């Protein structure tokens, strides 16, 4: 019996080390091995990480059908792996594609799945998973008495911490038969983004509808972000309005961030927005409505017109 982390892709995705941290701590508490199943080009980079996080087996799956992201092939590959090695808990780093894979794998294996996991505890034979719900507003505790489960981990609130003891992971090449798999989802053009990711930014200056116009966003939000050496983001409303593209959207259906400083201007603080920034160390809000929800989360608040305050902040940041 082992617990496993499932990963894929050409590069090690952000959040992988944090997922390895939680999986490694859990495997130590459960007294079982942590194995890491990797698919794709990331396998080469995985070795060093596997050693640091105390992985017992680094299992690689290679097949022509797995060379490009294909959910049907991935689900089939992981299902065949689980049938061969019979892990007791199957972890995913909850990226957007993992949201598609984890529930389908659970359906294929006929086992429970918990999404949005942020904490794990083993109580006798029961796995207790703390997860976020209702857009991050609420924490819920799932008690899973089934012997095998899938947990998809939200890693933004976890600090990466290598295992107390490094390991010498044993490499295993795992064969799967994907001959019968036909991809039902065709990616006609993949979204691509270059440069730093909002999820990794330490300073985010975010704007919402209260800015009034895309010009104000461009001058004031981007201007302050640049002056502070941070990144700019925004609410879904302004993405829907076409002021910014969706790679800058913070929230439940956007990026889940955890910066040191999150400065929100003209944002009301809807729960779906806060799901993407409430883990920030310090939230500063500028909103002219003193009763705006954002003030429930903000450490510092400026009840004022952001069109007047932001230029002053830019001046101060540049001074
Ligand atoms: C399923 C679902 C998923 C969603 N996912 C997301 C998501 O991922 N991210 C997200 O952001 N939203 C998401 N939403 C939308 C969310 O519910 C809110 O509608 C949205 O966050 C509101 O954006 P806002 O704060 O920019 O606008 P508003 O709610 O309109 O707030 C504007 C704020 O600006 C203030 N204001 C106005 N003028 C000024 C001024 N001059 N100076 C200072 N303050 C001013 C107002 O007082 C107000 O509080 C989702 C909704 C649903 C149903």
């Amino acid at each position: 019996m082992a617990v496993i982390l499932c990963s894929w892709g050409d590069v090690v995705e952000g959040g992988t080390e944090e997922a390895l941290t939680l999986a490694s701590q859990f495997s130590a508490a459960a007294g079982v091995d942590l194995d890491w199943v990797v698919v794709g080009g990331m396998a080469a980079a995985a070795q060093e990480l596997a050693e640091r996080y105390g992985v017992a087996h680094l299992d690689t799956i290679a097949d022509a059908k797995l060379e490009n992201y294909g959910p049907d092939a991935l689900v089939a590959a992981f299902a065949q792996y689980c049938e061969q090695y019979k892990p007791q808990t199957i972890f995913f780093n909850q990226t957007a594609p993992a949201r598609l894979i984890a529930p389908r794998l659970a359906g294929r294996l006929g086992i429970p799945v918990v999404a949005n996991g942020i904490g794990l505890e083993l109580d006798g034979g029961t796995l207790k998973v703390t997860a976020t719900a209702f857009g991050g507003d609420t924490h819920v505790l799932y008690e899973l008495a089934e012997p095998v489960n899938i947990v998809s981990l939200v890693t933004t609130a976890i600090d990466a911490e290598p295992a107390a003891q490094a390991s010498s992971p044993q490499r295993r090449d795992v064969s799967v038969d994907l001959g019968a798999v036909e991809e039902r989802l065709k990616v006609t053009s993949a979204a691509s983004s270059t440069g730093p990711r909002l999820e990794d930014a330490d300073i985010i200056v975010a704007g919402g509808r209260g800015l009034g116009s895309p010009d104000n966003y461009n001058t004031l939000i981007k201007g302050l972000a640049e002056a502070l050496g941070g990144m700019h983001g925004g609410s879904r409303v302004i993405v829907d309005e076409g002021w910014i593209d969706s790679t800058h959207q913070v929230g439940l259906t956007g990026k889940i961030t955890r910066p040191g400083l999150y400065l929100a201007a003209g944002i009301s603080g809807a729960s779906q927005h806060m799901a993407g920034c409430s883990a920030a160390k310090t939230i500063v809000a500028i909103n002219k409505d003193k009763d705006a929800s954002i003030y429930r989360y903000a450490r510092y608040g400026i009840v004022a017109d952001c069109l007047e305050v932001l230029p002053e902040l830019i001046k101060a940041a540049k001074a």
Side-chain angles (χ1 to χ4, degrees):
M1 275 286 199
V3 301
I4 64 166
L5 175 69
C6 298
S7 306
W8 61 90
D10 286 336
V11 292
V12 177
E13 291 225 78
T16 302
E17 288 195 54
E18 289 78 1
L20 281 168
T21 301
L22 218 55
S24 168
Q25 290 167 353
F26 179 75
S27 72
V32 296
D33 282 348
L34 166 63
D35 296 342
W36 189 12
V37 194
V38 300
V39 170
M42 66 171 291
Q47 178 72 30
E48 188 262 333
L49 278 184
E51 288 169 17
R52 271 203 282 141
Y53 286 90
V55 169
H57 298 97
L58 179 59
D59 296 329
T60 53
I61 308 179
D63 187 285
K65 288 197 173 168
L66 294 167
E67 277 166 17
N68 295 312
Y69 170 71
D72 288 298
L74 277 173
V75 170
F78 289 135
Q80 289 180 33
Y81 174 93
C82 292
E83 277 149 18
Q84 284 178 58
Y85 290 97
K86 310 214 176 311
Q88 69 174 59
T89 313
I90 301 157
F91 292 114
F92 285 87
N93 166 25
Q94 190 169 292
T95 55
R99 286 174 190 255
L100 209 60
I101 305 297
R104 287 178 58 185
L105 181 62
R108 186 72 58 90
L109 298 173
I111 60 175
V113 59
V114 174
N116 305 319
I118 53 169
L120 304 161
E121 194 195 324
L122 202 55
D123 184 1
T126 303
L127 169 60
K128 294 182 173 176
V129 183
T130 305
T132 59
F134 304 116
D137 250 7
T138 308
H139 286 181
V140 286
L141 184 68
Y142 292 95
E143 298 192 352
L144 305 169
E146 299 290 325
V148 185
N149 303 286
I150 296 182
V151 182
S152 192
L153 298 168
V154 174
T155 56
T156 41
I158 303 166
D159 287 322
E161 197 182 311
Q165 252 189 328
S167 61
S168 309
Q170 192 186 331
R171 288 288 283 252
R172 295 187 296 207
D173 292 327
V174 178
S175 18
V176 291
D177 177 4
L178 304 180
V181 176
E182 284 297 334
E183 282 303 332
R184 287 167 292 170
L185 192 71
K186 289 224 170 6
V187 178
T188 49
S189 76
S192 71
S193 66
T194 51
R197 300 171 346 132
L198 203 56
E199 297 94 310
D200 301 326
D202 191 43
I203 296 178
I204 297 176
V205 181
R209 186 169 12 213
L211 285 158
S213 76
D215 284 348
N216 289 337
Y217 182 92
N218 288 335
T219 332
L220 301 174
I221 298 298
K222 286 186 183 171
L224 184 57
E226 197 184 317
L228 292 174
M231 293 186 69
H232 63 97
S235 68
R236 178 159 137 180
V237 169
I238 69 164
V239 172
D240 291 346
E241 292 289 327
W243 298 8
I244 53 171
D245 73 63
S246 61
T247 57
H248 292 278
Q249 182 188 319
V250 174
L252 183 64
T253 46
K255 306 292 181 196
I256 309 287
T257 67
R258 192 175 57 136
L261 171 66
Y262 190 82
L263 193 150
I267 291 180
S268 58
S271 63
Q272 296 91 351
H273 182 82
M274 299 316 296
C277 61
S278 56
K281 285 198 182 71
T282 303
I283 297 179
V284 177
I286 311 171
N287 195 306
K288 63 183 186 184
D289 174 6
K290 68 173 177 33
D291 296 321
S293 305
I294 189 92
Y295 288 128
R296 288 198 283 127
Y297 303 87
R299 181 174 300 177
Y300 303 104
I302 305 173
V303 182
D305 184 341
C306 63
L307 303 182
E308 289 172 11
V309 175
L310 287 166
E312 296 303 319
L313 291 181
I314 294 172
K315 258 193 245 159
K318 284 182 174 169

